[in-house]
Amino acid sequence: MSINEIQKLPYGAGNISQGSTGQNPVGSAAFGELLKARTLESQGLNFSKHAAKRMGERGIAMDNQLMGDLEQAVEGARLKGAKDVAVIGRQGVFIVNVPNNVVVTTMSAEDMKDRIFTNIDSAVIM
């Protein structure tokens, strides 16, 4: 029996190899982890006050295309286990805290000359 992608398991069933929807195996991750991942996916990226200020100062314009590309890059990094990622594109660099789905700072293409990135574990080229 399945309700909203949640399956009722028989008592003592253990792990089931494939859910009825053909998606991820049931029982492969803790409930809290799945809930957090679903919540973050539905919220999209957030921008810290610092990042929003830097975007304004550095003339980085956010449009639907850029936001979609950025969200896709962060999701790809998330799937690879990244925690803090530098997303590098034509518009500049976006430093993103992946677990919290927050852009923490930005840099325009002109500002990237002679810059050093620290405290990141991954980079994605857009």
Side-chain angles (χ1 to χ4, degrees), residues 2 4-7 16-26 28 38:
S2 177
N4 295 333
E5 297 183 25
I6 299 173
Q7 285 191 342
I16 295 176
S17 63
Q18 189 90 21
S20 66
T21 61
Q23 295 180 350
N24 292 334
V26 175
S28 64
R38 289 275 177 140

mmCIF file of all heavy atoms in Angstrom, residues 2 4-7 16-26 28 38:
data_model
loop_
_atom_site.group_PDB
_atom_site.id
_atom_site.type_symbol
_atom_site.label_atom_id
_atom_site.label_comp_id
_atom_site.label_asym_id
_atom_site.label_seq_id
_atom_site.Cartn_x
_atom_site.Cartn_y
_atom_site.Cartn_z
ATOM 1 N N SER A 2 0.600 2.222 -0.828
ATOM 2 C CA SER A 2 1.411 3.423 -0.942
ATOM 3 C C SER A 2 0.519 4.659 -0.879
ATOM 4 O O SER A 2 -0.477 4.750 -1.571
ATOM 5 C CB SER A 2 2.170 3.402 -2.268
ATOM 6 O OG SER A 2 2.899 4.585 -2.418
ATOM 7 N N ASN A 4 1.062 8.850 -1.020
ATOM 8 C CA ASN A 4 1.990 9.970 -1.216
ATOM 9 C C ASN A 4 3.445 9.522 -1.158
ATOM 10 O O ASN A 4 4.265 10.079 -0.464
ATOM 11 C CB ASN A 4 1.754 11.070 -0.184
ATOM 12 C CG ASN A 4 0.407 11.710 -0.325
ATOM 13 O OD1 ASN A 4 -0.158 11.737 -1.413
ATOM 14 N ND2 ASN A 4 -0.132 12.216 0.757
ATOM 15 N N GLU A 5 3.768 8.458 -1.864
ATOM 16 C CA GLU A 5 5.107 7.905 -1.957
ATOM 17 C C GLU A 5 5.602 7.311 -0.642
ATOM 18 O O GLU A 5 6.779 7.064 -0.473
ATOM 19 C CB GLU A 5 6.105 8.949 -2.449
ATOM 20 C CG GLU A 5 5.818 9.441 -3.841
ATOM 21 C CD GLU A 5 6.859 10.423 -4.338
ATOM 22 O OE1 GLU A 5 7.999 10.392 -3.860
ATOM 23 O OE2 GLU A 5 6.521 11.225 -5.205
ATOM 24 N N ILE A 6 4.731 7.101 0.339
ATOM 25 C CA ILE A 6 5.097 6.462 1.595
ATOM 26 C C ILE A 6 4.476 5.082 1.587
ATOM 27 O O ILE A 6 3.285 4.921 1.368
ATOM 28 C CB ILE A 6 4.585 7.265 2.813
ATOM 29 C CG1 ILE A 6 5.218 8.659 2.806
ATOM 30 C CG2 ILE A 6 4.891 6.518 4.106
ATOM 31 C CD1 ILE A 6 4.653 9.580 3.850
ATOM 32 N N GLN A 7 5.301 4.087 1.806
ATOM 33 C CA GLN A 7 4.798 2.724 1.772
ATOM 34 C C GLN A 7 4.580 2.183 3.172
ATOM 35 O O GLN A 7 5.371 2.424 4.071
ATOM 36 C CB GLN A 7 5.796 1.802 1.063
ATOM 37 C CG GLN A 7 5.818 1.969 -0.406
ATOM 38 C CD GLN A 7 6.607 0.853 -1.051
ATOM 39 O OE1 GLN A 7 7.380 0.180 -0.416
ATOM 40 N NE2 GLN A 7 6.386 0.661 -2.329
ATOM 41 N N ILE A 16 13.358 -2.876 1.488
ATOM 42 C CA ILE A 16 12.737 -3.305 0.242
ATOM 43 C C ILE A 16 13.599 -2.742 -0.869
ATOM 44 O O ILE A 16 14.000 -1.591 -0.834
ATOM 45 C CB ILE A 16 11.285 -2.778 0.139
ATOM 46 C CG1 ILE A 16 10.442 -3.411 1.241
ATOM 47 C CG2 ILE A 16 10.709 -3.064 -1.236
ATOM 48 C CD1 ILE A 16 9.026 -2.891 1.287
ATOM 49 N N SER A 17 13.888 -3.527 -1.879
ATOM 50 C CA SER A 17 14.850 -3.101 -2.895
ATOM 51 C C SER A 17 14.348 -1.968 -3.773
ATOM 52 O O SER A 17 15.113 -1.170 -4.254
ATOM 53 C CB SER A 17 15.259 -4.288 -3.766
ATOM 54 O OG SER A 17 14.126 -4.777 -4.456
ATOM 55 N N GLN A 18 13.076 -1.859 -4.016
ATOM 56 C CA GLN A 18 12.564 -0.811 -4.900
ATOM 57 C C GLN A 18 11.179 -0.391 -4.422
ATOM 58 O O GLN A 18 10.328 -1.219 -4.172
ATOM 59 C CB GLN A 18 12.468 -1.338 -6.341
ATOM 60 C CG GLN A 18 12.167 -0.285 -7.354
ATOM 61 C CD GLN A 18 13.440 0.333 -7.911
ATOM 62 O OE1 GLN A 18 14.495 -0.250 -7.834
ATOM 63 N NE2 GLN A 18 13.338 1.507 -8.469
ATOM 64 N N GLY A 19 10.956 0.925 -4.287
ATOM 65 C CA GLY A 19 9.653 1.422 -3.903
ATOM 66 C C GLY A 19 8.643 1.207 -5.022
ATOM 67 O O GLY A 19 9.006 0.972 -6.170
ATOM 68 N N SER A 20 7.366 1.320 -4.715
ATOM 69 C CA SER A 20 6.335 1.088 -5.719
ATOM 70 C C SER A 20 6.332 2.152 -6.807
ATOM 71 O O SER A 20 5.791 1.947 -7.868
ATOM 72 C CB SER A 20 4.959 1.024 -5.050
ATOM 73 O OG SER A 20 4.640 2.293 -4.507
ATOM 74 N N THR A 21 6.970 3.311 -6.529
ATOM 75 C CA THR A 21 7.003 4.376 -7.527
ATOM 76 C C THR A 21 8.202 4.249 -8.448
ATOM 77 O O THR A 21 8.383 5.061 -9.330
ATOM 78 C CB THR A 21 7.034 5.761 -6.843
ATOM 79 O OG1 THR A 21 8.219 5.830 -6.038
ATOM 80 C CG2 THR A 21 5.802 6.001 -6.013
ATOM 81 N N GLY A 22 9.075 3.259 -8.211
ATOM 82 C CA GLY A 22 10.244 3.088 -9.058
ATOM 83 C C GLY A 22 11.355 4.054 -8.719
ATOM 84 O O GLY A 22 12.284 4.235 -9.470
ATOM 85 N N GLN A 23 11.273 4.706 -7.537
ATOM 86 C CA GLN A 23 12.293 5.666 -7.146
ATOM 87 C C GLN A 23 13.304 4.999 -6.231
ATOM 88 O O GLN A 23 13.542 3.813 -6.332
ATOM 89 C CB GLN A 23 11.635 6.868 -6.482
ATOM 90 C CG GLN A 23 10.753 7.631 -7.453
ATOM 91 C CD GLN A 23 10.104 8.831 -6.813
ATOM 92 O OE1 GLN A 23 10.163 9.002 -5.612
ATOM 93 N NE2 GLN A 23 9.477 9.659 -7.612
ATOM 94 N N ASN A 24 13.906 5.769 -5.353
ATOM 95 C CA ASN A 24 14.936 5.267 -4.466
ATOM 96 C C ASN A 24 14.423 4.125 -3.597
ATOM 97 O O ASN A 24 13.257 4.087 -3.229
ATOM 98 C CB ASN A 24 15.433 6.390 -3.550
ATOM 99 C CG ASN A 24 16.179 7.446 -4.317
ATOM 100 O OD1 ASN A 24 16.731 7.159 -5.369
ATOM 101 N ND2 ASN A 24 16.201 8.647 -3.798
ATOM 102 N N PRO A 25 15.318 3.207 -3.232
ATOM 103 C CA PRO A 25 14.916 2.104 -2.375
ATOM 104 C C PRO A 25 14.402 2.600 -1.030
ATOM 105 O O PRO A 25 14.938 3.533 -0.461
ATOM 106 C CB PRO A 25 16.206 1.300 -2.182
ATOM 107 C CG PRO A 25 17.093 1.717 -3.294
ATOM 108 C CD PRO A 25 16.682 3.112 -3.657
ATOM 109 N N VAL A 26 13.367 1.958 -0.539
ATOM 110 C CA VAL A 26 12.811 2.294 0.762
ATOM 111 C C VAL A 26 13.784 1.781 1.813
ATOM 112 O O VAL A 26 14.310 0.693 1.712
ATOM 113 C CB VAL A 26 11.417 1.645 0.941
ATOM 114 C CG1 VAL A 26 10.898 1.886 2.343
ATOM 115 C CG2 VAL A 26 10.466 2.178 -0.096
ATOM 116 N N SER A 28 16.728 3.091 2.585
ATOM 117 C CA SER A 28 18.131 3.312 2.267
ATOM 118 C C SER A 28 18.717 4.517 2.998
ATOM 119 O O SER A 28 19.911 4.686 3.024
ATOM 120 C CB SER A 28 18.318 3.472 0.760
ATOM 121 O OG SER A 28 17.648 4.627 0.315
ATOM 122 N N ARG A 38 14.241 16.656 1.038
ATOM 123 C CA ARG A 38 13.010 17.062 0.340
ATOM 124 C C ARG A 38 12.664 18.514 0.626
ATOM 125 O O ARG A 38 12.244 19.251 -0.264
ATOM 126 C CB ARG A 38 11.825 16.174 0.768
ATOM 127 C CG ARG A 38 11.879 14.784 0.265
ATOM 128 C CD ARG A 38 11.290 14.732 -1.114
ATOM 129 N NE ARG A 38 11.405 13.387 -1.631
ATOM 130 C CZ ARG A 38 10.487 12.802 -2.321
ATOM 131 N NH1 ARG A 38 9.382 13.423 -2.630
ATOM 132 N NH2 ARG A 38 10.670 11.586 -2.769
#
